[in-house]
Amino acid sequence: MSILNILRYPDPRLHKIAQPVTAFDARLAKLVADMADTMYEAPGVGLAATQVDVHERVVVIDISEDKSQLIAFINPEIIWSSEERTVYDEGCLSVPGVYDGVERPSKVKVRAFDVKGEQFELEADGLLAVCIQHEMDHLVGKVFVEYLSPLKRNRIKTRMMKEERGIAREKALREQGRRI
């Protein structure tokens, strides 16, 4: 399988709204497999298609220690959430190295399709509930830093832009070295 490029905040493509999946075919199965490989390689516990510049309602999550419990959510929708809320320190593969507290419902029930087009429902709490909500935010163009104060968000944006310039500079220097 392929390792996909993960978009980094504040890339504007992270704010695109994902469209529903209409075909449960080999292309979708390959996308899910590639997203899983990308998530594990990163390493992370969740990845939305939006983060790899595919604007379809596809999410992969695996919160197990041994990477043995991959769940693909196609066209997911939260059909119930608890009134009880929890603050969890979240991070994101699109915002590497940044972690901060986000308050979300403690429990959710999600309805989705698997990669074969079979519908299922799943009730989740703890880390799985957080991951489901975090990844589904990506599908509507929202990154977790948008829950933070404007001051924190601007500091993170500035830091990410500086890091991106540094990465681009290193890449250019490596390419120049190859041409000499």
Side-chain angles (χ1 to χ4, degrees), residues 58-83:
V58 178
V59 166
V60 294
I61 294 176
D62 187 346
I63 62 168
S64 68
E65 291 290 323
D66 62 354
K67 303 176 184 176
S68 66
Q69 297 174 23
L70 180 70
I71 307 170
F73 298 86
I74 314 301
N75 297 334
E77 59 178 318
I78 293 176
I79 56 175
W80 173 84
S81 58
S82 66
E83 288 185 24

Side-chain angles (χ1 to χ4, degrees), residues 49-110:
T50 300
Q51 293 176 270
V52 293
D53 203 20
V54 176
H55 303 283
E56 296 179 42
R57 295 187 56 78
V58 178
V59 166
V60 294
I61 294 176
D62 187 346
I63 62 168
S64 68
E65 291 290 323
D66 62 354
K67 303 176 184 176
S68 66
Q69 297 174 23
L70 180 70
I71 307 170
F73 298 86
I74 314 301
N75 297 334
E77 59 178 318
I78 293 176
I79 56 175
W80 173 84
S81 58
S82 66
E83 288 185 24
E84 179 187 346
R85 299 178 71 80
T86 305
V87 175
Y88 197 92
D89 249 7
E90 294 186 26
C92 182
L93 296 177
S94 292
V95 194
V98 175
Y99 299 88
D100 212 317
V102 176
E103 183 179 308
R104 298 183 185 272
S106 299
K107 298 177 183 177
V108 296
K109 186 172 189 178
V110 64

Side-chain angles (χ1 to χ4, degrees), residues 159-171:
R159 176 179 153 194
M160 293 292 116
M161 290 170 70
K162 281 182 183 178
E163 287 178 12
E164 194 62 34
R165 284 193 300 269
I167 291 167
R169 198 173 307 125
E170 284 180 27
K171 184 178 177 183

Side-chain angles (χ1 to χ4, degrees), residues 2 13 30 32 40 59 61 65 106 116 134 149 155:
S2 301
R13 294 173 289 180
K30 180 173 178 3
V32 167
Y40 291 135
V59 166
I61 294 176
E65 291 290 323
S106 299
K116 295 177 182 172
H134 176 109
S149 71
R155 285 181 177 166

